[in-house]
Amino acid sequence: MNSKHSTIIKNSWQRCRDAGLSHSSAPIIEMETGSSLARTTEEHSGLIETTQQKVLPFYDSLLANSNCLITLANTKGQVLNSWGEQRFFTQHQPQVFQNGVQWKEQLIGTNAIGTALETGSIVQVFHDEHFLSSNRFMAGSAAPLFDADRRMTGVLSISSDAYMPSSHTLGMVKLMSQAIENQLIASRFQATHHLFWFNTSPENIDSQWSSLLVFNDEGIIVSANRRAEVVLGQNLALQRLEQLFDVKMEQVLSHPPFTPFPLTSRSQSNYFGLTIPPTTPKGRQLDFRLSPQTIDIAAPTDRPLDLEQLNTGDPRLAKAINQASRILDTDIPILIHGETGVGKEVFVNALHQSSRRSHAPLIAVNCAAIPSELVESELFGYEKGAFTGAHTKGYVGLIRKSDKGTLFLDELGDMPINVQARLLRVLQERKVTPLGSTTSYPVDFKLVSATNRNLKADVERGSFRQDLYYRVTGLNITLPALRERTDKEALIRFILRKYAYGDEVPSLSVEVLAMFKQHPWPGNIRQMVSVIQIAAAMAGDETITSEHLPDDFINDLKPYESAPIQPLLGATASDLAAVPNLVEQVAEPVSNNQEWLDIYEEYGRNISATAKALNVSRNTLYKRLREQGLR
């Protein structure tokens, strides 16, 4: 059991003791009935109907083929409705499972619903982890539910009195809670706004863990699911779609609805998206689609780069490009090392475009982004009916989709150990067997992996298989951090051209250029792209100056002594001579990992509250969470 889970249970037990409970205590039944319960049910009718009519029908097999009870509760822990195994109502303290009963910890002890409410996060409580002995006949998982305004609106739990695999209820509650939240957002906005779904391939856009954005006719984001914020790594409120993706708003609106199209995020991640227009028509839309000869969403200048185009003068990057080019069309696997944000995915895209496999798909799999309980089925595919909740048509799997192309396993170090064993077998045999099937399918792909972890250290700790390590490390390539690169000026030019909002390429003041060259760039190229996008939007038609830069960029910048700077974008020698020391010492924010993690837990993992307490931006907090593997 991991330490985080143990801490959650330990703290819950202490709260139960503080409430005066003991292991032998009987559950304290506090229950609404009659007109009071009817009012509570009416207040939550939208949540109940969404769960019952729009989500549960897709999980009929869960109810039919397992001993599970699905329970929906409000933010007081009060049961609103339940579905599934009726044995809970005839055995095992039936009064506890009635509608209207409150499942707070101080009443029922440690339990999935009550503990999820206390922590504000997804929890799993095994049989003997319930504080009250009378509840130890069951195990359960629960997830808080958030509405379109990101307010907690309830809790969904799945309980079982059978000894099921620990990942079963946890994986299902994650999927179902995400499905409910998606439906709540869609129901609120679908009449008047555009819904934009995106994921890593066109086949899984309808997955419950796809990202969802809601935007108006001007392309301004008015709502998003939590998945979208995690994937894009930033607060999305009131941003424009064009600030997030390399695509024009007119082209998105005029592309045929419900039809997937490829697009690239501003951080150079590749996705497929589709748009669902408002259900209330607003009149005729003008058709901005390009002519049939140039129907691509991206303009020609936005097409993927090849390896040679990535070479902008840094010797370490040039060495990596040269090494990769030499084994490009061999079966030797490539493992790319580098900090978060250095451009590993861009490098892999260029590698694929430069290879003989460029006509075939590049399938990118972020091993950290897919819930651990679902990685196996996503990678290897499954036969219909292979497991509870499986799609009725089965799923081919991402490895088979990469046949004749390139398979890119990003964040490889986060792959669960049981999935590592199956992947090793695929790499050895070059065959994949879907879950629930006895048929093996041959596959032919170029394997490229990436990590920001020390895999050798993971091997020594036992969290990464040694035999798999030697299978994926044919050629090790390290991409330099942005602060170490010698080609910053060329990179700045490229980003300014690529992310210009109009025909005019923004210009930088000498002061900003000096700041860019001296900045430590903890978020690397991804951070530079974000900073330039924000600054260009703030500056409009003006030259970008320090007042257009985001606060967290300034906070990360340390004082430095003035040094000669080479001209860029029209700066003259006399301009450069006048550059002063640009920033004063800025008070350091909380830097001790444990200290800010404690604050994060203290505020119930609320991003806005934690960021305010730490006096940092939400983007900075998101970055720290991702570095700690918490996002």
Side-chain angles (χ1 to χ4, degrees):
M1 199 64 59
N2 64 50
S3 59
K4 177 183 172 184
H5 175 84
S6 300
T7 300
I8 289 174
I9 299 301
K10 178 182 177 181
N11 292 342
S12 174
W13 280 34
Q14 187 58 52
R15 288 192 294 270
C16 294
R17 293 188 183 97
D18 293 343
L21 299 178
S22 68
H23 296 308
S24 59
S25 297
I28 301 172
I29 307 299
E30 289 192 3
M31 180 178 181
E32 272 191 351
T33 58
S35 59
S36 177
L37 178 59
R39 283 194 300 272
T40 298
T41 302
E42 177 62 28
E43 289 172 2
H44 295 85
S45 59
L47 178 61
I48 297 171
E49 290 173 7
T50 295
T51 304
Q52 181 165 319
Q53 298 176 15
K54 297 184 178 180
V55 175
L56 288 183
F58 293 97
Y59 297 90
D60 285 339
S61 58
L62 173 66
L63 300 177
N65 301 324
S66 65
N67 302 312
C68 288
L69 180 72
I70 299 174
T71 304
L72 182 67
N74 63 14
T75 53
K76 297 178 181 178
Q78 190 174 41
V79 176
L80 299 174
N81 209 343
S82 55
W83 304 267
E85 182 52 66
Q86 296 301 303
R87 188 171 65 255
F88 282 84
F89 298 98
T90 57
Q91 305 172 12
H92 311 311
Q93 311 172 98
Q95 71 278 12
V96 176
F97 296 95
Q98 301 299 315
N99 288 359
V101 173
Q102 291 190 14
W103 278 69
K104 293 179 179 178
E105 283 185 341
Q106 60 263 42
L107 303 175
I108 310 294
T110 301
N111 68 89
I113 293 175
T115 305
L117 283 173
E118 287 287 344
T119 61
S121 60
I122 298 175
V123 299
Q124 187 170 30
V125 180
F126 296 101
H127 296 264
D128 294 337
E129 291 175 339
H130 287 84
F131 187 78
L132 300 188
S133 300
S134 58
N135 289 336
R136 294 177 181 172
F137 65 89
M138 63 179 173
S141 300
L145 301 172
F146 296 87
D147 63 16
D149 296 318
R150 294 298 176 80
R151 296 174 301 197
M152 190 185 295
T153 188
V155 177
L156 182 77
S157 81
I158 302 179
S159 304
S160 175
D161 59 357
Y163 281 83
M164 305 171 64
S166 61
S167 63
H168 183 90
T169 57
L170 183 62
M172 292 305 297
V173 84
K174 286 181 178 179
L175 275 177
M176 294 177 69
S177 63
Q178 182 66 68
I180 292 171
E181 291 181 10
N182 290 344
Q183 288 294 338
L184 290 175
I185 294 173
S187 298
R188 164 118 172 240
F189 291 105
Q190 63 186 0
T192 56
H193 289 75
H194 303 267
L195 306 184
F196 181 70
W197 296 88
F198 66 96
N199 211 326
T200 52
S201 75
E203 289 82 5
N204 61 14
I205 290 181
D206 60 352
S207 297
Q208 301 297 354
W209 58 91
S210 286
S211 300
L212 170 63
L213 302 175
V214 180
F215 63 90
N216 61 20
D217 289 337
E218 288 73 45
I220 298 174
I221 308 297
V222 298
S223 186
N225 66 5
R226 287 183 292 166
R227 184 73 183 157
E229 281 204 344
V230 171
V231 168
L232 296 175
Q234 57 185 295
N235 178 19
L236 303 175
L238 301 182
Q239 292 211 48
R240 291 183 177 274
L241 200 67
E242 293 176 342
Q243 292 175 287
L244 303 174
F245 297 99
D246 203 1
V247 64
K248 298 298 182 183
M249 187 62 196
E250 310 88 73
Q251 294 170 321
V252 173
L253 290 178
S254 56
H255 189 82
F258 306 100
T259 304
F261 60 88
L263 74 163
T264 302
S265 71
R266 294 292 185 178
S267 61
Q268 295 299 295
S269 296
N270 293 324
Y271 299 103
F272 285 85
L274 65 78
T275 305
I276 300 176
T279 55
T280 303
K282 293 188 177 182
R284 178 176 174 268
Q285 295 276 351
L286 294 177
D287 192 344
F288 290 96
R289 276 176 288 184
L290 303 176
S291 63
Q293 292 78 16
T294 55
I295 195 70
D296 291 341
I297 290 292
T301 56
D302 292 331
R303 287 174 183 161
L305 305 172
D306 59 28
L307 282 175
E308 190 55 40
Q309 291 171 300
L310 288 185
N311 191 352
T312 50
D314 180 80
R316 290 179 60 188
L317 182 60
K319 178 183 176 181
I321 291 171
N322 181 55
Q323 290 177 327
S325 299
R326 291 177 180 272
I327 67 164
L328 198 57
D329 295 311
T330 70
D331 290 331
I332 300 173
I334 297 175
L335 177 61
I336 302 173
H337 301 267
E339 297 177 5
T340 299
V342 296
K344 294 187 286 290
E345 185 165 339
V346 176
F347 190 90
V348 173
N349 270 283
L351 189 151
H352 178 72
Q353 290 299 319
S354 303
S355 74
R356 295 174 185 169
R357 297 176 180 268
S358 58
H359 65 282
L362 164 63
I363 301 296
V365 183
N366 189 317
C367 301
I370 303 174
S372 58
E373 300 82 11
L374 303 169
V375 172
E376 200 168 9
S377 59
E378 279 293 295
L379 279 176
F380 307 107
Y382 54 82
E383 293 293 306
K384 61 180 181 180
F387 56 88
T388 301
H391 195 284
T392 55
K393 296 181 181 179
Y395 178 60
V396 68
L398 296 173
I399 291 180
R400 286 173 63 192
K401 288 181 182 179
S402 69
D403 189 39
K404 302 297 187 295
T406 302
L407 177 64
F408 173 41
L409 300 179
D410 197 8
E411 307 289 358
L412 179 65
D414 292 291
M415 180 176 287
I417 196 76
N418 62 305
V419 181
Q420 293 177 28
R422 290 203 60 171
L423 176 62
L424 176 65
R425 193 174 308 117
V426 170
L427 298 181
Q428 289 172 336
E429 301 175 358
R430 291 287 163 168
K431 293 180 180 179
V432 61
T433 305
L435 299 180
S437 174
T438 57
T439 303
S440 294
Y441 299 88
V443 285
D444 170 28
F445 54 81
K446 175 76 174 183
L447 177 65
V448 183
S449 308
T451 183
N452 57 8
R453 301 168 63 102
N454 186 337
L455 290 187
K456 279 191 175 180
D458 288 346
V459 169
E460 292 175 0
R461 285 193 295 266
S463 60
F464 197 84
R465 292 180 63 107
Q466 185 178 47
D467 44 10
L468 179 60
Y469 174 78
Y470 288 112
R471 276 282 173 180
V472 299
T473 54
L475 171 65
N476 279 273
I477 289 176
T478 299
L479 299 183
L482 178 55
R483 63 184 174 276
E484 300 168 354
R485 289 180 59 164
T486 60
D487 60 345
K488 289 192 186 75
E489 290 190 9
L491 195 57
I492 293 169
R493 287 193 191 95
F494 174 80
I495 295 173
L496 284 169
R497 286 197 303 270
K498 184 172 180 63
Y499 297 107
Y501 284 96
D503 296 331
E504 292 294 324
V505 177
S507 59
L508 300 181
S509 70
V510 175
E511 179 188 25
V512 169
L513 170 60
M515 296 172 83
F516 276 17
K517 294 182 71 174
Q518 297 290 340
H519 200 278
W521 295 111
N524 290 294
I525 297 174
R526 185 176 297 153
Q527 182 187 9
M528 178 180 276
V529 169
S530 176
V531 169
I532 288 177
Q533 282 183 266
I534 293 170
M538 297 291 291
D541 296 332
E542 302 173 3
T543 296
I544 295 173
T545 64
S546 59
E547 67 183 26
H548 299 130
L549 300 174
D551 291 343
D552 54 346
F553 171 86
I554 302 293
N555 292 339
D556 286 337
L557 189 59
K558 296 180 180 179
Y560 64 92
E561 295 182 358
S562 186
I565 303 173
Q566 297 300 315
L568 175 67
L569 304 181
T572 66
S574 58
D575 290 330
L576 298 172
V579 177
N581 290 339
L582 302 178
V583 292
E584 298 177 352
Q585 177 69 47
V586 180
E588 286 288 314
V590 175
S591 58
N592 178 276
N593 280 343
Q594 190 56 52
E595 188 176 354
W596 71 260
L597 284 173
D598 289 343
I599 295 173
Y600 180 51
E601 293 292 343
E602 179 182 341
Y603 282 90
R605 301 192 172 196
N606 182 289
I607 294 293
S608 297
T610 305
K612 185 175 181 180
L614 293 173
N615 196 27
V616 299
S617 70
R618 286 166 57 99
N619 285 348
T620 298
L621 182 56
Y622 273 118
K623 175 171 72 69
R624 290 186 179 182
L625 292 172
R626 289 169 70 87
E627 289 172 352
Q628 294 295 317
L630 297 176
R631 282 273 170 173

